[in-house]
Amino acid sequence: MKILVLNGVNLNLTGLREKGVYGTETLAEINAKIAANCAAHGDEVDFYQSNSEGLLVDKLHEAFLNKLYDGILFNAGAYTHYSYALRDAIAAIDLPVVEVHMSNVQAREEFRHKSVISEVCRGTVCGFGAGSYLAALEGLRYILK
């Protein structure tokens, strides 16, 4: 199985910003754990992070058009709550996308309670810190079998 882990806005600062919310592990450290998990299961994984909404849309299109991946884990960051462009890009591709959040977005500010991408994703995992990615990976494996 080939997986794309897609990270959006501000996730490049993971481990450096709001440590009480997002923890102290950097995105590189989280990616290393995901890569090790994938290697142990015989899966391939690629990582991509951008603060640009358009580049994230382009990556979703590329993944689909070039048939590069079996599925996608996507932490869109704050774009989750208002990016109809990302929502439409996910809806347009025939690939399962699992929405990922490290924090429990339902326990945070009210504006974070609504995800515009959830309805076009296969599932959502949130609230387990960096472990949310690994839980989402297991869910993605399950639906791809």
Side-chain angles (χ1 to χ4, degrees), residues 16-102:
L16 304 173
R17 69 184 262 264
E18 298 180 85
K19 293 177 184 180
V21 175
Y22 301 108
T24 58
E25 288 180 282
T26 66
L27 188 58
E29 291 168 333
I30 294 167
N31 288 347
K33 287 183 178 183
I34 297 167
N37 182 288
C38 285
H41 286 86
D43 300 327
E44 297 178 52
V45 64
D46 288 331
F47 301 94
Y48 184 80
Q49 188 278 328
S50 179
N51 293 315
S52 170
E53 183 180 33
L55 291 176
L56 293 167
V57 168
D58 289 344
K59 195 67 171 177
L60 288 163
H61 291 181
E62 175 190 341
F64 171 64
L65 292 172
N66 295 332
K67 299 181 185 342
L68 298 174
Y69 303 100
D70 298 303
I72 299 172
L73 302 184
F74 190 18
N75 185 341
Y79 288 139
T80 298
H81 313 294
Y82 64 87
S83 178
Y84 295 104
L86 287 171
R87 184 240 179 260
D88 289 350
I90 295 166
I93 65 173
D94 188 23
L95 284 171
V97 177
V98 178
E99 179 181 2
V100 179
H101 301 285
M102 290 186 283

